[in-house]
Amino acid sequence: MLVSAAEMLKKAKAGHYAVGQFNINNLEWTKSVLLTAEELKSPVILGVSEGAGKYMTGFKTVAAMVKAMDEELGITVPVALHLDHGSYEGCYKCIKAGFTSIMFDGSHYPIEENVAKTKELVAVAHNLGLSIEAEVGSIGGEEDGVVGAGECADPDECKAIADLGVDMLAAGIGNIHGKYPANWAGLSFETLDAVQSKTGDMPLVLHGGTGIPEDMIKKAISLGVAKINVNTECQLSFQEATRKYIEEGKDLEGKGFDPRKLLAPGAEAIKATVKEKMELFGSIGKA
Ligand code: 13P
């Protein structure tokens, strides 16, 4: 069922586990994530970046596909369709298209402007029953053209944004989109601790879930992280399995060129990655 992310994240924060946001790119991605969530009875968030939305021909196409697929696969677990790192305009487009959740990433604006725009979007989203995520302190690295320097969030600014009534807050704590460099300093638990003490019950969001060591994920959850975003890791699993299929010459055997066969190992690999993450995040059986 497509729902806002508010309820599932409140439960996760109270229950000391995290719900995974898995970014989708196409039909296969969406199907793999939905089937895994249903099999494991886990709530799930489908993340759509503005770039992925464009690739899939627009947010209306994405919303229509996800809604129909959720119904036709008979999915019973809560599923939120969420805009990832949305611009101000992108948020309005997704609201119109029928998304159930949005992220307004105003982290690159001066804090006053981030507050003003987030406040406006909180009112609009809540009026229509959508959940909304905001961001303070940018996430490092690059995702679909959104580039961040990766500075740690100021806990007082986090409180100012949390007080606007957002449903989840992404605070930069040294996390990076994509693969982590060998000399990465790790997550700043000091920042996370300070943010959680200022924001109380607010479900915190950890972006850049790919490649964060298990012990750091567990510690982040214990310090109030209730949503973890994963994108690159599913892409890498898909790529590795597809490469293997072709390198083994399977596409040359019989009807191995059939796209339903060619894309099947990649789709299975995504399922395995999503399962692994749901186990680590503790969301299995929480639907
Ligand atoms: P990764 O690509 O590093 O997993 O990050 C995903 C993310 O944070 C989406 O917003």
Side-chain angles (χ1 to χ4, degrees):
M1 208 174 64
L2 289 200
V3 293
S4 113
E7 207 49 45
M8 64 171 90
L9 293 179
K10 261 189 214 145
K11 279 195 201 162
K13 174 97 185 190
H16 306 289
Y17 60 92
V19 177
Q21 171 189 308
F22 299 95
N23 284 44
I24 56 170
N25 289 289
N26 58 19
L27 181 144
E28 282 74 19
W29 240 260
T30 312
K31 187 173 159 188
S32 292
V33 177
L34 287 179
L35 286 174
T36 309
E38 182 66 23
E39 184 197 331
L40 302 175
K41 295 286 170 269
S42 169
V44 75
I45 298 169
L46 302 178
V48 182
S49 67
E50 297 210 351
K54 203 170 160 192
Y55 173 78
M56 289 183 269
T57 75
F59 295 127
K60 269 163 70 177
T61 308
V62 178
M65 174 183 76
V66 169
K67 274 187 190 154
M69 198 186 285
D70 187 74
E71 196 184 309
E72 302 219 86
L73 287 175
I75 303 295
T76 61
V77 298
V79 177
L81 177 59
H82 182 72
L83 170 65
D84 189 27
H85 292 286
S87 62
Y88 179 80
E89 297 76 25
C91 284
Y92 278 104
K93 280 188 192 160
C94 285
I95 290 170
K96 251 179 114 178
F99 275 48
T100 59
S101 189
I102 52 170
M103 173 186 189
F104 170 59
D105 180 356
S107 61
H108 51 286
Y109 290 117
I111 185 69
E112 299 73 28
E113 198 172 349
N114 191 359
V115 167
K117 287 193 160 71
T118 302
K119 189 174 175 189
E120 174 192 316
L121 286 160
V122 166
V124 176
H126 284 175
N127 200 21
L128 295 166
L130 278 76
S131 48
I132 175 164
E133 173 177 349
E135 178 169 325
V136 180
S138 71
I139 315 299
E142 189 261 342
E143 183 179 64
D144 272 338
V146 180
V147 181
E151 77 264 17
C152 280
D154 173 340
D156 288 316
E157 292 186 359
C158 289
K159 181 167 166 41
I161 295 276
D163 286 349
L164 301 173
V166 297
D167 302 282
M168 56 202 124
L169 178 69
I173 57 166
N175 39 338
I176 299 171
H177 286 129
K179 290 181 183 173
Y180 284 84
N183 62 353
W184 178 51
L187 296 177
S188 168
F189 291 115
E190 206 187 332
T191 307
L192 182 56
D193 202 21
V195 170
Q196 150 139 288
S197 24
K198 293 268 179 185
T199 58
D201 289 343
M202 175 62 57
L204 301 175
V205 183
L206 181 62
H207 282 248
T210 297
I212 298 180
E214 286 194 20
D215 57 331
M216 284 196 203
I217 293 279
K218 287 194 173 138
K219 184 151 184 200
I221 294 173
S222 78
L223 290 171
V225 164
K227 171 174 178 276
I228 303 178
N229 294 5
V230 178
N231 184 7
T232 308
E233 208 156 323
C234 290
Q235 299 185 3
L236 292 170
S237 308
F238 178 85
Q239 173 237 353
E240 198 185 323
T242 309
R243 168 174 288 277
K244 187 164 175 277
Y245 181 86
I246 294 189
E247 279 186 350
E248 286 174 354
K250 300 247 173 74
D251 57 320
L252 302 171
E253 290 166 13
K255 284 242 180 189
F257 58 84
D258 177 339
R260 282 170 265 165
K261 292 201 167 107
L262 182 66
L263 298 176
E268 285 305 312
I270 294 171
K271 283 189 193 167
T273 298
V274 171
K275 183 174 184 191
E276 199 182 287
K277 297 297 169 193
M278 286 178 167
E279 272 163 7
L280 176 61
F281 302 165
S283 69
I284 293 179
K286 307 288 190 191

